[in-house]
Amino acid sequence: MTQTEQSWQWYDDNAGIYEELDPATLEFGRQLLDYADPVPGARLLDVGAGRGAVVRAALARGCLVTAGDAAPGMVARLRADFPTVAVSMLDAHRLDFPDACFDMVTAGFVIDLLSDPAVAVAEVRRVLRPGGVFALSVPGPLPHRGRWQWLVDLAQEFFPATVAEDRDGQTDVDVTGLLAAAGFTGLTHRDFEHPEPVSDPAALWDLFASRLPAAVSSGSVEWLPPDRAAEFHRRFLAGAEQMHANGGIAFDRHLTMYRALAPAA
């Protein structure tokens, strides 16, 4: 199974609880749509629509929305939640639409998950009309990552397979280069920060514990033996207590948004 397939499998497994696992999704979708700035009646395709954060915001602006995702569970939820939207299974590497049929394409947190993002960006250009808008987002920098190092170290010790190489939270995809290579023009970008405060160490543990079953079911982690689980719990609360006493607990979520134009005819 490729990394892309593993990503879609995780989203498929967690489609029913995705917005609970990541509450910032809705705000990130609103921000991306605001940055894209479609006019009412715009024909908009949302690639990797997930549970519909961008779809919801686009409908509120009066767009004519088409949405797709590679995860069957997400597609089923989209169809149930947005019965007026044309929803389909979608491979970002080969968009099953005619040339120049959309005014705008959005892709929130998608490009960095793909096996061949250059092919996907070329496909976006193909389905956009001349002068159409492509707006996408990727994970942004994490300037306060050092405050969470205690948890990174703890996860490395107890769940080593879950801790990837530290890239400061940023994607290694060269978005600017991809857009330029595909012929897009007028590129702009914007960073956005969305802090998520957590009231106290117990609340942080409850949040972690609520997400652990989904991680286990997806195969990302395995349940710890009882003695190891107790030790992890103790040290987790100790680290969280120290963080709480030194500036408070908050997830500082960041994204970087890009907006570019398909070349005019």
Side-chain angles (χ1 to χ4, degrees):
M1 182 180 291
T2 67
Q3 182 177 356
T4 298
E5 290 169 336
Q6 290 174 339
S7 296
W8 298 145
Q9 185 62 56
W10 185 91
Y11 287 110
D12 190 42
D13 291 342
N14 295 287
I17 57 172
Y18 179 63
E19 290 181 343
E20 291 76 17
L21 289 174
D22 192 0
T25 297
L26 290 175
E27 182 58 28
F28 286 161
R30 283 191 292 266
Q31 290 293 326
L32 181 60
L33 202 280
D34 286 347
Y35 188 51
D37 196 24
V39 298
R43 299 166 299 169
L44 183 146
L45 169 65
D46 188 29
V47 178
R51 285 290 301 276
V54 172
V55 171
R56 187 175 289 109
L59 290 173
R61 279 197 175 220
C63 297
L64 304 176
V65 181
T66 300
D69 200 280
M74 292 295 190
V75 170
R77 294 301 296 258
L78 284 167
R79 286 173 173 159
D81 293 343
F82 304 100
T84 64
V85 172
V87 177
S88 62
M89 290 288 296
L90 197 64
D91 179 358
H93 301 94
R94 188 163 67 178
L95 300 176
D96 191 19
F97 300 104
D99 294 356
C101 63
F102 293 105
D103 302 305
M104 178 173 288
V105 175
T106 53
F109 297 117
V110 173
I111 291 297
D112 55 304
L113 300 177
L114 300 178
S115 58
D116 195 339
V119 170
V121 171
E123 274 290 272
V124 169
R125 177 183 169 180
R126 181 185 65 78
V127 302
L128 274 172
R129 65 165 175 79
V133 174
F134 182 26
L136 67 147
S137 63
V138 295
L142 299 176
H144 308 298
R145 187 177 180 85
R147 299 192 66 236
W148 289 94
Q149 191 60 46
W150 64 271
L151 186 53
V152 174
D153 293 342
L154 197 63
Q156 179 68 67
E157 180 179 345
F158 285 84
F159 304 103
T162 67
V163 182
E165 181 181 352
D166 188 353
R167 293 184 282 109
D168 195 31
Q170 292 181 272
T171 176
D172 56 4
V173 175
D174 178 12
V175 177
T176 299
L178 287 171
L179 293 171
F184 283 93
T185 63
L187 173 64
T188 60
H189 72 276
R190 178 187 299 172
D191 292 324
F192 175 70
E193 178 178 349
H194 181 65
E196 298 177 29
V198 180
S199 60
D200 55 40
L204 183 63
W205 173 259
D206 289 344
L207 182 62
F208 174 84
S210 70
R211 299 181 182 188
L212 189 56
V216 172
S217 67
S218 69
S220 300
V221 301
E222 297 181 355
W223 293 112
L224 294 172
D227 57 335
R228 292 277 288 167
E231 176 66 8
F232 177 81
H233 183 209
R234 183 188 68 78
R235 289 171 58 185
F236 182 101
L237 291 177
E241 186 61 52
Q242 185 173 5
M243 187 179 191
H244 184 58
N246 289 278
I249 304 171
F251 294 106
D252 298 305
R253 300 289 303 282
H254 290 71
L255 76 159
T256 301
M257 299 176 289
Y258 296 84
R259 187 180 191 275
L261 304 177

